[in-house]
Amino acid sequence: MLNPGPELFAKTRKGDKLYKLAQQAETRKEYEKALTLYDEALAEDPSDPAYNLGSRRMRERVGQIHLADAKKLRDDGKLNEALTEYQKAFATDPSNALALQEMQRTSEMIERNKKGNVKADELNLTPTEVARNEEMQRMSSILPVPDLKPITNRIETLKMNNQPPKVLYDTVGKYAGINVIFDPAMQPPAKNINVDITNATVEEALNYIGLLTKTFWKPVTSNAIFVTEDSVTKRRDYEDNVVKVFYLKNITSVQEFQEIVTAVRSVTDIRRMFTYNAQNAVMARGTPDQIALAEKLFNDLDKPKSEVIVDIVVMSANTDRAKTLAASIVGAATGATGLELPLQFSPRNPVLTGTTTTGTSSTTGAGTTTGTGTTTTGTGTTGTTGTTTTNSSYISLAQIGHVGLNDFSISLPGALLQALMTDSSTRIMQSPQVRASDGQKVTLKIGQKIPYATGSFQPGLAGSVGGVSPLVSTQFNFADVGVNVELTPHVHGPDEVTLHVSVEISSVASQVTIGGVQQPIIAQEKKEAELRLRDGQVTIMGGLTQTQDTKSLAGIPGLVNIPVLGMLGGSRVTDKSHGELLIALIPHIVRTPTITPLDLRGVSAGTDQVVKLSYAEQENPAAAAPAVPGAGPGAPNPKTPPNTMPPGTPAPGISPGPPTGAPAITFAPSSATVPLSGPLSVNLNAQNVADLFSAGPVRLKWDPKLLRLNQIAPGDFMKQDGQNPPVIDIRNDTGEATINVSRTPGSAGANGSGVLATLSFIAIGKGSGSVNVVEAPLKDSKQKLIAAAVPVLTYTVQ
């Protein structure tokens, strides 16, 4: 008798009702009630697996809810209520180890807070979180190498004659408001030095003195420097080291990552430089100048790779025309072309010899047959098994004289008239598209995989053993049949690209049986080349034209060659086939590396043994420093810089007088329509400004899928009477750019309206968009902000 499952007899039990009520409560998300009902049902029948699973599932669910509530209460500072929730979670699901750990951790927090030795912002934090915060505070409090910040950063004129190095350093230090500390082991030079400094920053003056006295200095605080002899030993003992982690975001392979790190390590001479491939991170420890140089090199090399979209057009046209014309006599028996008269020998019965097969019976008899012509006497054997007589077309030699025309038969031929013409035309066009990064191979396969045998082994016994197929002992591989394309692009700037391309077009032409295994015969057309193309240029990768004419003639020899009668005894077949194949490639450059003028500019990197960088002055020079009492011998009083004009004085060539209208930044033109791959040139203008000393950083934002910014050229509005070199940063990958233009120190601000910069875009995608000025801070000669409206350029790429 079968043992019925729980589902067969549970409907008659109380547990089934409780189980259904628990399911309904679970559907309403009343998990506490569902757990109670599941437990009651399980108490009715502890062996029921459905009740057991429901209870376990709800116990885990309710425990998770208590854990979430406890975490929220603890974050709100309600530790006692949180502890109660953690206890409920553990009581509900004792298998939850996290509930036990959090319960113990919360108890420790309550005891710690009772002692009162904890900060107010750490009352709701676990001991682990407190330790982690302290660790983060310690890390954030680590100071970088001190940056020297003198009170006066520019020395207009300083001339000292026949002075030792300590006097020279002390004089510059007092002039700039910084302290100078000397190495006690520093030896005085053999002779004193003459110094003549004009219009230089404090750092330039200190470097100048260090070069003349063969010493080097380093900042120890923001207003103090340490000076010692310039030697390998002293630099190793006193020169500071910096540790920094660089994160590279455009690396695509480990080999590329290692090549960049090796190149930077070789140029900067940083011995302690290590890579972390999982994060594309580089850890380096070296001097501040080495680390700064490495930072610039990583910024120059870590560029997004160029990308190319290649349209591949495969066109195939095949034509096959066949014509058959036949009018001939055809044999009735075989239907063969031409004249065929089958002649068969069918002898008459009296000519045949007879062969009689007799059974095994022992009774025999003789009989005589009498005819009008010939009398034949034979012996017959009678038995219970019967008698069988077989006739044959063979005759005895004695009967040859009796053979006549009546012993032969012939089938008369029929006639055949056939006219057939076939015309087949095939047109195939495939237009796949692939996208590849610079230097990365991309593969496109369109078609099928065809199996073919690659090897086999012969069994020990010849032939098939036990009916086993020979395919069992054969290994197979698969060939890609169809269109197979491999491309490796290399982009040369925004306009040209070199493609190493291999195109293979194959198909199964026929089948052949080799060793009992049917193998495909694959027709293949392959082309491999190295091409250099312009963006959008069409090139023919491979073209093939094939024409084949076939003529066949069949019929009665001699008669078939007669011009008119030949058609009565044969057939003529004409077959003309024509095939054309064309492969075209069209590359489109969709991304190029964002190389800025900063990337192309060379920087001073020190000597062969020492990496030393020099920095341009970042702030406007302060006013001329007053005379410093107690300056060293030969320290002159600073003078007012020549050709200095008070702020607000109009510069020569700039329209004076107050401007009319409100200050604004505008685009000219404010809207444009450009074709795809066409240029878009826009002027960024300043209008109605007074005493404009600097503009920037002006931040621009656009859609990188529609436009690419190739160049930012500074305008002429602020060039009159001197303009600092503009600071330009273009990031086409995110569609952002910044430009900062300013007047030279000592110059007056510009008044009126004019061109700040010219933006040169190129359209790379169809659609509509806008170029927005996110921010454009304008400042006058007193470094006060000038309120100005910002523009929006709308455009459409067709």
Side-chain angles (χ1 to χ4, degrees):
M1 179 177 180
L2 294 177
N3 184 21
E7 65 276 8
L8 297 181
F9 53 79
K11 295 182 179 180
T12 62
R13 298 184 310 175
K14 179 181 179 181
D16 178 61
K17 181 178 180 180
L18 295 172
Y19 182 77
K20 289 184 177 180
L21 293 176
Q23 287 181 322
Q24 295 174 0
E26 182 180 357
T27 303
R28 297 191 301 269
K29 297 185 178 181
E30 298 175 357
Y31 300 117
E32 294 276 2
K33 182 178 179 181
L35 176 60
T36 303
L37 293 173
Y38 278 129
D39 288 343
E40 292 178 1
L42 185 62
E44 292 292 329
D45 187 0
S47 63
D48 193 303
Y51 303 163
N52 197 353
L53 289 175
S55 176
R56 288 181 180 274
R57 185 177 65 254
M58 279 300 98
R59 199 169 294 279
E60 181 180 357
R61 178 64 177 171
V62 173
Q64 293 295 332
I65 294 176
H66 284 303
L67 280 177
D69 294 341
K71 180 67 169 56
K72 184 177 180 180
L73 290 171
R74 191 171 69 182
D75 293 341
D76 294 339
K78 302 176 182 179
L79 299 182
N80 292 324
E81 293 87 341
L83 179 60
T84 302
E85 289 295 324
Y86 280 127
Q87 290 172 347
K88 290 181 180 179
F90 182 71
T92 303
D93 187 8
S95 64
N96 193 333
L98 179 61
L100 179 61
Q101 294 174 357
E102 294 298 330
M103 184 173 61
Q104 296 173 349
R105 188 175 291 117
T106 306
S107 299
E108 293 175 359
M109 294 172 61
I110 295 175
E111 293 298 327
R112 180 198 63 189
N113 294 347
K114 287 181 180 180
K115 297 179 181 179
N117 56 350
V118 64
K119 298 179 181 178
D121 58 347
E122 297 178 352
L123 291 175
N124 303 336
L125 301 180
T126 65
T128 303
E129 293 173 341
V130 171
R132 186 173 300 142
N133 284 349
E134 293 176 352
E135 181 182 357
M136 294 299 296
Q137 292 176 0
R138 284 195 303 270
M139 288 190 296
S140 61
S141 63
I142 299 176
L143 296 176
V145 174
D147 188 13
L148 187 63
K149 297 179 180 179
I151 297 176
T152 302
N153 195 33
R154 180 163 292 276
I155 300 175
E156 298 299 335
T157 303
L158 180 59
K159 180 182 255 185
M160 290 177 287
N161 297 323
N162 197 24
Q163 297 296 331
K166 290 187 177 182
V167 174
L168 299 178
Y169 276 109
D170 282 334
T171 303
V172 174
K174 292 178 180 180
Y175 197 97
I178 60 176
N179 298 320
V180 182
I181 304 172
F182 295 95
D183 183 8
M186 181 176 172
Q187 298 295 326
K191 61 179 182 178
N192 295 335
I193 306 298
N194 298 328
V195 171
D196 188 357
I197 301 174
T198 303
N199 193 22
T201 63
V202 172
E203 184 176 351
E204 291 173 345
L206 293 175
N207 292 337
Y208 180 38
I209 295 174
L211 180 63
L212 293 177
T213 60
K214 296 183 179 180
T215 57
F216 86 93
W217 62 276
K218 72 168 188 175
V220 291
T221 63
S222 60
N223 61 351
I225 63 172
F226 174 80
V227 181
T228 186
E229 296 176 359
D230 190 359
S231 63
V232 176
T233 303
K234 292 296 183 180
R235 283 189 175 273
R236 185 177 62 245
D237 294 341
Y238 291 106
E239 200 166 24
D240 294 327
N241 277 355
V242 177
V243 175
K244 188 170 183 178
V245 179
F246 303 95
Y247 295 93
L248 308 183
K249 61 180 181 179
N250 296 307
I251 303 301
T252 57
S253 65
V254 176
Q255 179 182 357
E256 181 183 355
F257 187 31
Q258 295 296 336
E259 288 178 356
I260 290 180
V261 173
T262 301
V264 174
R265 181 192 293 118
S266 302
V267 173
T268 59
D269 288 336
I270 299 178
R271 294 183 292 109
R272 300 178 181 92
M273 181 177 288
F274 306 95
T275 61
Y276 180 50
N277 295 333
Q279 296 288 341
N280 284 344
V282 183
M283 298 166 285
R285 181 171 183 257
T287 65
D289 291 320
Q290 286 178 325
I291 298 299
L293 181 59
E295 183 177 17
K296 182 189 183 306
L297 294 177
F298 280 127
N299 179 74
D300 295 346
L301 296 176
D302 186 26
K303 303 291 185 182
K305 287 188 175 182
S306 302
E307 293 188 22
V308 179
I309 290 180
V310 182
D311 294 326
I312 304 171
V313 181
V314 180
M315 293 173 285
S316 177
N318 299 315
T319 302
D320 191 356
R321 296 178 179 176
K323 182 171 62 176
T324 303
L325 183 60
S328 59
I329 299 174
V330 181
T334 62
T337 302
L339 180 61
E340 180 181 356
L341 299 177
L343 183 64
Q344 297 181 354
F345 178 56
S346 52
R348 296 163 298 170
N349 287 335
V351 182
L352 293 174
T353 60
T355 303
T356 302
T357 303
T358 306
T360 57
S361 177
S362 59
T363 305
T364 60
T368 302
T369 301
T370 306
T372 59
T374 306
T375 300
T376 303
T377 301
T379 301
T381 303
T382 303
T384 59
T385 60
T387 303
T388 301
T389 303
T390 303
N391 295 328
S392 174
S393 59
Y394 295 98
I395 62 174
S396 63
L397 293 178
Q399 300 296 332
I400 290 178
H402 300 284
V403 175
L405 294 178
N406 292 330
D407 298 316
F408 294 91
S409 63
I410 186 172
S411 60
L412 297 179
L416 172 66
L417 176 62
Q418 181 181 11
L420 177 64
M421 181 176 180
T422 61
D423 187 352
S424 62
S425 178
T426 304
R427 300 290 187 268
I428 299 174
M429 181 174 179
Q430 294 176 329
S431 182
Q433 188 181 73
V434 296
R435 180 165 181 162
S437 297
D438 188 8
Q440 302 294 321
K441 183 173 74 171
V442 61
T443 301
L444 175 67
K445 296 182 179 181
I446 303 176
Q448 298 176 324
K449 286 184 174 290
I450 304 299
Y452 62 92
T454 57
S456 62
F457 63 90
Q458 185 69 26
L461 298 177
S464 177
V465 179
V468 179
S469 171
L471 297 179
V472 176
S473 58
T474 304
Q475 293 82 39
F476 289 88
N477 205 341
F478 293 86
D480 294 314
V481 175
V483 178
N484 300 324
V485 181
E486 289 186 358
L487 284 171
T488 305
H490 182 66
V491 179
H492 309 283
D495 300 324
E496 290 191 346
V497 59
T498 294
L499 296 177
H500 178 81
V501 58
S502 175
V503 179
E504 177 183 327
I505 302 176
S506 57
S507 61
V508 177
S510 60
Q511 301 283 341
V512 63
T513 301
I514 301 176
V517 180
Q518 193 176 35
Q519 299 274 48
I521 297 178
I522 299 176
Q524 183 185 61
E525 298 172 3
K526 186 174 182 180
K527 181 73 172 180
E528 186 172 355
E530 195 93 11
L531 307 173
R532 180 158 182 161
L533 306 172
R534 293 189 305 275
D535 185 10
Q537 180 181 358
V538 181
T539 183
I540 304 301
M541 178 65 186
L544 176 63
T545 301
Q546 183 177 6
T547 302
Q548 182 177 355
D549 292 340
T550 304
K551 293 183 179 180
S552 60
L553 182 65
I556 301 173
L559 182 62
V560 74
N561 296 322
I562 300 175
V564 178
L565 298 179
M567 295 300 299
L568 300 177
S571 63
R572 299 177 183 270
V573 179
T574 302
D575 188 359
K576 292 185 179 181
S577 62
H578 181 76
E580 294 182 357
L581 176 66
L582 181 68
I583 305 172
L585 301 177
I586 310 172
H588 303 282
I589 301 174
V590 295
R591 182 196 291 269
T592 57
T594 306
I595 301 177
T596 64
L598 179 62
D599 300 329
L600 301 176
R601 184 168 60 92
V603 296
S604 174
T607 64
D608 181 71
Q609 299 297 325
V610 178
V611 175
K612 179 65 177 177
L613 301 183
S614 300
Y615 295 90
E617 191 175 4
Q618 298 297 323
E619 299 178 356
N620 292 329
V628 180
N637 292 331
K639 300 178 181 180
T640 303
N643 301 327
T644 300
M645 294 178 290
T649 303
I654 299 180
S655 58
T660 59
I665 300 292
T666 61
F667 280 124
S670 60
S671 62
T673 300
V674 294
L676 184 63
S677 302
L680 174 60
S681 182
V682 182
N683 289 334
L684 183 66
N685 300 331
Q687 288 187 347
N688 306 322
V689 294
D691 192 23
L692 179 61
F693 190 84
S694 65
V698 179
R699 291 184 54 203
L700 305 174
K701 183 72 176 178
W702 68 91
D703 189 351
K705 297 180 180 178
L706 302 181
L707 293 181
R708 180 175 70 235
L709 182 57
N710 288 338
Q711 184 182 9
I712 299 180
D716 297 331
F717 182 56
M718 301 183 68
K719 284 185 177 180
Q720 302 181 27
D721 198 32
Q723 172 181 318
N724 288 327
V727 179
I728 299 172
D729 184 14
I730 301 175
R731 299 182 180 181
N732 279 310
D733 53 342
T734 58
E736 295 179 339
T738 58
I739 177 174
N740 195 338
V741 292
S742 61
R743 304 275 292 161
T744 56
S747 301
N751 298 318
S753 303
V755 179
L756 293 177
T758 300
L759 314 177
S760 297
F761 292 94
I762 186 170
I764 61 174
K766 293 184 178 181
S768 299
S770 62
V771 179
N772 301 308
V773 176
V774 181
E775 60 178 349
L778 306 181
K779 295 182 180 179
D780 59 15
S781 58
K782 297 180 180 180
Q783 298 301 303
K784 293 183 179 179
L785 288 175
I786 302 174
V790 295
V792 176
L793 167 66
T794 59
Y795 60 88
T796 301
V797 181
Q798 297 179 345

